[in-house]
Amino acid sequence: MIPSTPINLFEYETLAQNRLSQMAWDYYASGAWDEVTLKENRIAFNRYRLHPRMLVDVSQRDLSTTILGQSLSAPILIAPMAFQCLADPVGEVATAKATAHSGIGMVLSTLSTKSMSEVAIANPQTWFQLYIHRDRNLTRALVEYAYKCGAKALCVTVDAPFLGRRERDTCNQFVLPQGMELANLCNLQAKDLDIPHRQGESGLFAYFAEQLDPGVTWTDLAWLRSLVPLPLVVKGILRPDDAIRAVEVGAEAIIISNHGGRQLDGAIATIDVVSQIVAAVGDRVEVLMDGGIRRGTDILKALALGAKAVLIGRPVLWGLAVAGETGVQHVIEILRDELSLAMALSGCAKLQDIDSSLVSRKS
């Protein structure tokens, strides 16, 4: 049961802050350096205005869609987010159960605190997000493990050759609490890859510096695609030319993302590049986006600019912290209901009715 049930995602955020430890809250909520991009992801949505159609029969709305051939009840997936057991003991499994109940997909982080095998049972629509490690045998093993567990796509994050400097984590000397582990790596007997403790710095920053490969190039994506017969999704694209390169190496979907403002501070807000990237790749690849979505109208704007679906990040963690699986399910329900209402008020009975004529960017 959710105490004093929140009516929007902002209320969930307030409640979550009161429930999480300071270290967990700062890890989830913070961005890189001055957090300019973190804030800009939200602010940018206000630069777009909606132009609703009138006298359209919207008595029934259909929000269903398909992404990479998977049927979804709404154009929403859950973004890959590490260490969800910081918010709830069941962590990623609770999120998976909530998304399965809601009929949407999720992307599981390499750095999850519940394993791909557990999560895929809870939601068979799960994709696996991959960080490419220096040890390519380990990287191969992760990909093969995800495939064996039933992952429906391989989602490669390309915007993290190094971890962005998140000063709140540095101040807190972020490290996982005792008893919490990197479940996917532990399943591969890679126990020496736990998040280290480093005096005066973030343990996660140290992990990235020691284990992840900053020399990854487009050639490596072609190699990854050859390992297992899964659709390749490239996450972290912010430029049309990079989107075209992703298509050329065989990506079947791209995710426009700035890592929630957690990598390069000052990077452009994701909503501001959706139309450019969609124009560059056309219908050769499915385009998704994440970053700053807090309302159904945000989703409507992203779809009108050309995205086929969106990924939701932090609000899921807020729901998880407040009420576990029930909280995540309610967060999804709020967004889906808000999107349905926004579509009705804009004269759109189905997703196919949403087009660029509905939105303009104010000067």
Side-chain angles (χ1 to χ4, degrees):
M1 174 148 181
I2 306 172
S4 58
T5 304
I7 63 171
N8 58 48
L9 271 54
F10 302 104
E11 291 190 358
Y12 264 108
E13 182 173 359
T14 299
L15 288 173
Q17 184 172 9
N18 294 330
R19 290 172 178 267
L20 292 167
S21 70
Q22 189 65 50
M23 181 179 288
W25 169 258
D26 284 342
Y27 171 71
Y28 287 153
S30 65
W33 280 323
D34 298 312
E35 302 187 343
V36 172
T37 298
L38 174 67
K39 299 180 183 75
E40 186 67 8
N41 274 348
R42 276 298 308 141
I43 294 168
F45 280 99
N46 294 328
R47 290 196 282 269
Y48 294 86
R49 293 292 182 259
L50 293 167
H51 300 254
R53 302 185 187 100
M54 299 301 153
L55 296 176
V56 177
D57 181 359
V58 291
S59 54
Q60 301 293 324
R61 273 91 61 209
D62 181 4
L63 276 64
S64 64
T65 189
T66 60
I67 302 295
L68 298 181
Q70 294 176 240
S71 297
L72 302 178
S73 66
I76 299 171
L77 296 93
I78 304 307
M81 294 171 288
F83 313 147
Q84 292 184 30
C85 285
L86 290 171
D88 177 83
V90 188
E92 292 87 354
V93 171
T95 300
K97 288 180 177 178
T99 54
H101 184 274
S102 301
I104 67 171
M106 71 174 285
V107 189
L108 183 71
S109 171
T110 291
L111 304 179
S112 60
T113 41
K114 294 294 181 181
S115 69
M116 181 68 201
S117 57
E118 296 173 281
V119 170
I121 291 170
N123 186 349
Q125 298 277 60
T126 301
W127 301 358
F128 185 74
Q129 175 270 334
L130 178 72
Y131 286 119
I132 300 178
H133 287 65
R134 295 176 189 266
D135 183 342
R136 293 310 172 88
N137 288 329
L138 174 60
T139 300
R140 178 193 290 269
L142 277 168
V143 172
E144 292 174 346
Y145 166 68
Y147 177 63
K148 181 180 178 181
C149 290
K152 293 299 185 288
L154 181 64
C155 178
V156 183
T157 296
V158 297
D159 61 3
F162 293 95
L163 193 71
R165 179 69 73 174
R166 304 163 197 170
E167 293 182 348
R168 293 198 234 176
D169 287 347
T170 301
C171 291
N172 292 329
Q173 298 180 38
F174 176 83
V175 68
L176 286 179
Q178 188 172 6
M180 207 171 289
E181 61 186 16
L182 305 181
N184 294 310
L185 295 166
C186 286
N187 267 1
L188 299 176
Q189 286 78 51
K191 295 184 182 297
D192 57 325
L193 296 187
D194 286 338
I195 301 299
H197 188 278
R198 295 285 188 273
Q199 190 67 31
E201 71 172 338
S202 159
L204 185 61
F205 190 89
Y207 178 93
F208 267 63
E210 293 171 5
Q211 304 297 341
L212 270 62
D213 188 351
V216 173
T217 69
W218 294 103
T219 303
D220 295 294
L221 296 191
W223 169 70
L224 285 174
R225 195 171 188 274
S226 73
L227 297 179
V228 292
L230 288 176
L232 177 67
V233 181
V234 179
K235 179 179 182 289
I237 299 296
L238 290 173
R239 296 167 53 107
D241 54 351
D242 280 344
I244 292 169
R245 291 292 300 274
V247 172
E248 291 172 347
V249 299
E252 295 180 44
I254 61 171
I255 301 174
I256 300 170
S257 177
N258 55 33
H259 217 108
R262 293 161 72 79
Q263 283 299 103
L264 176 63
D265 199 25
I268 192 167
T270 49
I271 192 68
D272 282 338
V273 292
V274 171
S275 60
Q276 300 170 39
I277 289 175
V278 170
V281 300
D283 59 1
R284 292 178 291 169
V285 67
E286 295 186 345
V287 178
L288 293 73
M289 67 84 68
D290 67 17
I293 292 166
R294 298 294 184 271
R295 287 286 188 184
T297 47
D298 298 337
I299 302 175
L300 180 63
K301 291 172 184 179
L303 299 179
L305 289 167
K308 190 169 184 185
V310 301
L311 289 88
I312 309 301
R314 290 178 178 91
V316 171
L317 300 173
W318 309 152
L320 193 61
V322 171
E325 179 185 339
T326 301
V328 175
Q329 192 172 317
H330 190 223
V331 163
I332 296 167
E333 179 184 329
I334 288 172
L335 280 174
R336 189 164 51 193
D337 288 349
E338 288 186 357
L339 174 59
S340 181
L341 179 57
M343 287 172 59
L345 296 176
S346 298
C348 299
K350 56 187 182 299
L351 297 182
Q352 292 80 359
D353 298 332
I354 302 171
D355 60 33
S356 60
S357 71
L358 288 176
V359 68
S360 65
R361 193 179 192 279
K362 70 176 184 177
S363 55

